[in-house]
Amino acid sequence: MERFYHENAALYQTMVARLKPPPPSRAVKVATETPSPDIIVSARIRPLLNEDVDAGFPCAVFPRAAETGRVDVHDLYNHPKGRPILKVGPILSHCWLLPNRGLCQSVAYQVDRLFNAEATTEEVYEGLVEDLLPTAWHGGFGTLFAYGQTGSGKTTTVSGLEQLIAEKLMDQSSDGQRQLYMTIIDLAGNSAYDLLNSREPISILQDSFGDTQLAGVTEHPVQDRDEVTGLIERAASFRRTAPTFKNDASSRSHGICRIRMKNPTTDTDGLLYLVDLAGSEAARDVAVHGADRMRETREINMSLSVLKDCIRGKAKSAALALSDGSKSKQRKPHIPFRQSALTRVLKHVFDTAGGRACKTVVVACINPSLADVGPSKNTLRYAEMLRVLVPMPKNKDTKAVSIPETLSSSAGDSVDTDTVPRRLGLPGNPSSRDLDPTRTSVSFKERIRPGMVVSWKQSTGRDLALDTPDEPNLAAVLCPAEMARDTTLGVIPKSTLVELICARTRTWRELARAR
Ligand SMILES: Nc1ncnc2c1ncn2[C@@H]1O[C@H](COP(=O)(O)OP(=O)(O)OP(=O)(O)O)[C@@H](O)[C@H]1O
């Protein structure tokens, strides 16, 4: 396959250059779901390396400039009847027009946060780890998984983040004092090894409370950044690797770095885990197809599959809890963490005891080279499967919200609608949409969600079928959904709205641009 890509690299580049991005969707959608705040699924695209360029492979992964977290992957399809064409993906939502070739489709993937090839490890740290660290610092669990095909940048990402974390932890300005202990282990199949003790085998046991214990592991107290760096380097020299077609020293085990943060005042501790997962390559990419190697690949893929089920199970439980599913008869999702050593060691991530805070971040690492386009699609598909959307938080206190006098509707006031929800004590502005109520058949009332800022320009002479103020250039309405839902169709009495804001100076288009 690599040869096919290589031979058609120039044709591929011409076809990709001619692709026209799909026009922005005009459909009006109301966001009722949001990514879980406790599980962030991200992707990091590493730069094309000199060796990729020298080998003649172009880039096949393209983040969309205009859409956050969206990335296109263009594959080449060896058409049996002639010249190769860009492969038709299974997702039909994005049809791109290719001149002289009719309609062809490209596969688009969505993640919560996307880091392109120019992103530095510092940016990844700021985007992903800055939230994990306080969670562990204050007695919770923070876990980061780096997932991806061999050579996609997992180890580079994790070790870079470890250095930055070490720096941050040693920063005296941190909130309170903690004693720090570091453990680094290696999981190969069901066996575990202590990488800070010459790769001595250790046992994964369950204690009488059901907690997983790593029997025989050494825990190293660390006091400065150099100590952390020294331990990371020592662990790397003991990491289990084996050659694959893509990487001479591919990680064939899961590397787990655990930093325990003990609060000497309360005698409690929080845990930060950084997990550099084994390469997710298919069996065909393994250089030596011996029985041991094949079994190892099977075990790795099985543990990655169980990990996916566990992360999804946890996210679905969270979604169920938020949608009041526990009150209904809906069954709690099964989280099969006992099915692999990896998920047993990380049991607390999926089965949080005592209501301790738990945040999880997944970084899907991508090699953008056309030679790796198949594995990149698999990695992004895996990342998408980990994304479970949860219902938007309901604002239970809406009725209790008092309207600050500064927000009262006075004709002639210019209103900054972006700050309105915050000023009313409502959650951010997550579902803001510019909705022109005169353009769709869905009733205005049904499209309103809690905390949403709805803005439009009323065309002259059009009846909005709601109790609007006299102001013709009505620009923004902030409305609590519970109230809107209770009203009769088409009429939202003023008394049920938290606030009607008239802004003479900003039309809905201006507001959209400003946002
Ligand atoms: N963000 C980056 N910027 C520059 N080079 C990178 C980046 N990420 C990875 N690389 C380079 O890509 C190559 C592969 O990276 P790395 O070893 O981290 O991959 P990996 O996914 O851990 O592979 P494996 O699973 O086989 O261990 C290395 O040469 C590394 O220097």
Side-chain angles (χ1 to χ4, degrees), residues 375-415:
S376 297
K377 289 198 296 187
N378 288 340
T379 300
L380 286 164
R381 205 173 296 133
Y382 183 93
E384 274 198 335
M385 283 191 282
L386 298 178
R387 281 185 90 229
V388 174
L389 299 179
V390 298
M392 297 281 280
K394 283 193 187 130
N395 184 17
K396 294 197 175 98
D397 304 328
T398 309
K399 283 178 189 168
V401 168
S402 65
I403 305 165
E405 285 205 359
T406 47
L407 283 177
S408 61
S409 163
S410 60
D413 275 352
S414 175
V415 179

Side-chain angles (χ1 to χ4, degrees), residues 44 46-47 49 149-157 247 249-251 276-279:
R44 183 185 197 187
R46 77 148 163 79
L49 304 179
Q149 159 84 345
T150 179
S152 56
K154 301 181 296 295
T155 307
T156 307
T157 300
N247 193 341
S250 168
S251 316
D276 179 5
L277 293 167

Side-chain angles (χ1 to χ4, degrees), residues 410-422:
S410 60
D413 275 352
S414 175
V415 179
D416 179 2
T417 53
D418 286 341
T419 64
V420 169
R422 256 178 285 134

Side-chain angles (χ1 to χ4, degrees), residues 44-49 51-52 116-117 119-121 147-159 239 241-242 244 246-252 276-281 365:
R44 183 185 197 187
I45 304 165
R46 77 148 163 79
L48 269 185
L49 304 179
E51 60 210 63
D52 299 317
N116 63 22
T120 60
T121 303
Y147 174 90
Q149 159 84 345
T150 179
S152 56
K154 301 181 296 295
T155 307
T156 307
T157 300
V158 171
S159 50
R239 186 90 192 270
T241 61
T244 61
K246 305 266 168 59
N247 193 341
D248 288 343
S250 168
S251 316
R252 303 311 292 147
D276 179 5
L277 293 167
S280 57
E281 45 272 13
C365 296

Side-chain angles (χ1 to χ4, degrees), residues 293-455:
R293 243 340 60 93
M294 298 308 286
R295 184 170 41 85
E296 180 186 76
T297 305
R298 262 200 316 277
E299 279 171 357
I300 290 172
N301 290 340
M302 194 275 284
S303 63
L304 294 174
S305 168
V306 174
L307 176 66
K308 177 196 75 199
D309 293 342
C310 290
I311 295 179
R312 274 185 68 78
K314 169 138 198 242
K316 280 183 179 168
S317 294
L320 198 65
L322 280 173
S323 63
D324 292 338
S326 45
K327 286 185 199 152
S328 73
K329 294 262 156 34
Q330 219 174 326
R331 267 180 55 202
K332 233 181 142 201
H334 172 58
I335 303 178
F337 66 85
R338 288 195 179 81
Q339 286 181 11
S340 84
L342 173 68
T343 43
R344 276 208 316 276
V345 170
L346 299 168
K347 172 180 179 276
H348 61 273
V349 175
F350 314 109
D351 188 22
T352 318
R356 286 167 78 176
C358 181
K359 284 200 186 283
T360 305
V361 166
V362 180
V363 192
C365 296
I366 309 290
N367 171 359
S369 164
L370 178 61
D372 245 27
V373 68
S376 297
K377 289 198 296 187
N378 288 340
T379 300
L380 286 164
R381 205 173 296 133
Y382 183 93
E384 274 198 335
M385 283 191 282
L386 298 178
R387 281 185 90 229
V388 174
L389 299 179
V390 298
M392 297 281 280
K394 283 193 187 130
N395 184 17
K396 294 197 175 98
D397 304 328
T398 309
K399 283 178 189 168
V401 168
S402 65
I403 305 165
E405 285 205 359
T406 47
L407 283 177
S408 61
S409 163
S410 60
D413 275 352
S414 175
V415 179
D416 179 2
T417 53
D418 286 341
T419 64
V420 169
R422 256 178 285 134
R423 287 158 73 191
L424 281 176
L426 292 170
N429 191 8
S431 58
S432 291
R433 289 286 184 276
D434 283 280
L435 302 176
D436 181 353
T438 62
R439 284 199 185 176
T440 125
S441 56
V442 182
S443 97
F444 172 62
K445 189 185 77 173
E446 283 166 28
R447 288 178 287 133
I448 294 180
R449 293 289 179 272
M452 178 191 283
V453 174
V454 184
S455 57

